[in-house]
Amino acid sequence: MTTSATSGTGGPTENSLRRALRRARDGVSLDVSEAAVLLQARGEHLTDLSASAARVRDAGLEAAGRPGVITYSKSVFIPLTRLCRDKCHYCTFVTVPGKLRRAGHGMFMSPDEVLDIARKGAALGCKEALITLGDKPEDRWPEAREWLDAHGYDDTLAYVRAISIRILEETGLLPHLNPGVLSWTDFQRLKPVAPSMGMMLETTATRLWSEPGGPHHGS
C-alpha cells in the first residue's frame, strides 16, 4: 500500500483521490494537498466533486435566506493602459503610443479618469472595479516608461497598486486586477489591495504558436 498522494505518473493515486472526494462529500474542510488532488478529478470523479460543490453552495444560500438564488458581482471596466510588451496578433485590446496620442489619450489613464469611472460605477450599484491593462508595457515602449517616471512610479505595477488603493478608499469598489504575468514578489505587492486577480490562459499547446499558420504563430 502506498501512502503517497501521487502515482508513478505524477498524477494522484486512486486512493488519495477517493479519500479527498469522500471528505468533500462529508463537508470537511480540505487542506492544500487535498485541494491539489481534486484539481486532477476527471470523468465520474469530477461529476462527484461538482455535486459536492453544488451542495456547499446551496447550503450557503439556504443559510443566508436566499435559497436557489444565483449571485454575481456587478463590475465596471477600467482599461488602465492599452499598451503591452507582448505581440499577440489576435489581440484587439492592445494599441500603440501613436494611436493613443492621435485619439487624445495618455499612455495610461490618469487617476482622475479612473476615479470618475469608478464613482459612476459605484453610483450604478457596481461592487468591483475590473482593472485591465497590458503586461509591463514599459519593457517595450519608452513612452510608457516616460509616463511612469513623470508621475513618480517605478513600474506599471506600482501604479496599479496606487490606483487600487484610491479606488478602495474613495469609492468602496473592490479592485479586480488583470495585470499579466506576476512574480511572487509582484503578487505580494498587489495582494493587500486586490480581493481578486485574474490571468487568462488560453492554451498550453505549443503547436499553436510554434508552427507556421497556427493561430498564435509569431505571438
Side-chain angles (χ1 to χ4, degrees):
M1 180 183 295
T2 178
T3 58
S4 173
T6 59
S7 65
T9 60
T13 64
E14 184 70 14
N15 284 342
S16 65
L17 187 53
R18 290 186 180 279
R19 179 179 182 276
L21 286 168
R22 184 177 65 252
R23 286 172 60 80
R25 284 195 300 272
D26 292 343
V28 179
S29 295
L30 304 176
D31 61 26
V32 173
S33 63
E34 290 167 333
V37 166
L38 290 175
L39 286 174
Q40 306 298 316
R42 299 292 186 272
E44 64 180 19
H45 292 322
L46 181 57
T47 300
D48 186 348
L49 178 60
S50 297
S52 296
R55 284 194 295 273
V56 172
R57 177 202 61 207
D58 292 344
L61 289 171
E62 184 76 33
R66 297 185 295 170
V69 174
I70 297 176
T71 63
Y72 66 96
S73 179
K74 296 179 181 178
S75 65
V76 62
F77 180 66
I78 299 177
L80 196 63
T81 179
R82 292 176 60 203
L83 299 179
C84 184
R85 66 176 176 175
D86 299 325
K87 299 178 181 179
C88 301
H89 305 303
Y90 52 88
C91 179
T92 59
F93 174 76
V94 166
T95 187
V96 296
K99 289 185 178 180
L100 286 175
R101 288 197 198 93
R102 287 193 291 274
H105 301 308
M107 300 300 106
F108 292 78
M109 293 180 69
S110 70
D112 286 344
E113 290 173 321
V114 171
L115 291 170
D116 179 60
I117 292 175
R119 290 189 182 104
K120 289 176 179 176
L124 291 171
C126 291
K127 303 301 182 184
E128 294 186 17
L130 175 57
I131 301 176
T132 60
L133 59 151
D135 190 354
K136 297 179 177 63
E138 67 272 22
D139 287 357
R140 178 182 177 190
W141 300 108
E143 294 90 341
R145 166 53 60 196
E146 291 167 4
W147 189 98
L148 292 167
D149 289 344
H151 291 81
Y153 299 104
D154 293 336
D155 54 23
T156 293
L157 294 183
Y159 184 44
V160 171
R161 187 180 192 281
I163 206 66
S164 296
I165 292 172
R166 292 198 61 179
I167 289 172
L168 273 168
E169 293 180 346
E170 299 183 35
T171 73
L173 295 184
L174 303 176
H176 172 86
L177 309 182
N178 285 328
V181 179
L182 297 177
S183 67
W184 181 251
T185 300
D186 295 333
F187 179 74
Q188 293 302 312
R189 290 167 65 190
L190 297 177
K191 183 180 178 181
V193 301
S196 62
M197 287 182 264
M199 180 177 179
M200 291 185 292
L201 177 64
E202 295 184 2
T203 179
T204 58
T206 58
R207 64 181 178 80
L208 298 183
W209 59 263
S210 62
E211 298 177 6
H216 297 179
H217 185 251
S219 296

